[in-house]
Amino acid sequence: MTISDGTWTALRALAYEAMERAYVPYSDFPVGAAALVDDGRTVSGCNVENAGYGVTLCAECGLVSDLVRGGGGRLVAFTCVGRRGQLLVPCGRCRQLLWEHGGPDLLVEMPGGVRPMSDVLPDAFGPEYLTREATA
Ligand code: THU
């Protein structure tokens, strides 16, 4: 699938808007994420920190909740920005979250350019392994 420049710009703007709502009293590092869904919806999220630092919710967690709460679907294009609107990369755990809901073809806007999820998380562990284990 090809994503137009205009769509990427709109996704970055939505991610920026989400970033402005981030709750980051501990890191002071706000993050906003936005994605296009295969039915044309957009979803977004911001990071929400906690006094128990490890309980912090990344922006991608909020985005995935927004996706599922809004009726589900597959993520097709994803972007993530910081305070200055600079592109960020999803952390390791969030790559796994994105894989679950976008799979190998999800397009991820990285600082170095747009890459498919299969590059961003090679040799990913996905739901098919659960089935293979169960039938082995
Ligand atoms: N963070 C995200 O929201 N997403 C990422 O993929 C990277 C890290 C947040 C978590 C924490 O609130 C702050 O950035 C600093 O790590």
Side-chain angles (χ1 to χ4, degrees):
M1 185 187 233
T2 311
I3 305 296
S4 70
D5 287 350
T7 298
W8 284 118
T9 303
L11 287 178
R12 280 194 298 274
L14 183 59
Y16 190 90
E17 210 179 297
M19 178 277 296
E20 292 181 303
R21 297 279 172 87
Y23 176 75
V24 288
Y26 306 107
S27 73
D28 192 33
F29 189 80
V31 179
L36 177 66
V37 184
D38 61 355
D39 63 3
R41 275 153 55 224
T42 52
V43 290
S44 62
C46 62
N47 50 340
V48 179
E49 297 185 343
N50 190 283
Y53 297 164
V55 187
T56 287
L57 303 173
C58 281
E60 293 85 343
C61 299
L63 179 147
V64 165
S65 292
D66 191 13
L67 172 74
V68 174
R69 174 68 182 90
R74 299 294 284 171
L75 301 173
V76 297
F78 169 89
T79 194
C80 188
V81 303
R83 171 176 277 129
R84 291 174 289 102
Q86 79 276 25
L87 290 174
L88 297 173
V89 298
C91 77
R93 175 182 181 277
C94 290
R95 291 178 194 212
Q96 183 70 28
L97 278 183
L98 293 172
W99 184 274
E100 181 80 18
H101 298 280
D105 299 328
L106 168 61
L107 295 174
V108 181
E109 189 174 40
M110 304 283 273
V114 175
R115 311 252 297 273
M117 201 57 212
S118 51
D119 280 5
V120 175
L121 188 64
D123 298 326
F125 181 87
E128 73 279 12
Y129 282 95
L130 297 176
T131 311
R132 271 187 223 162
E133 277 297 313
T135 54

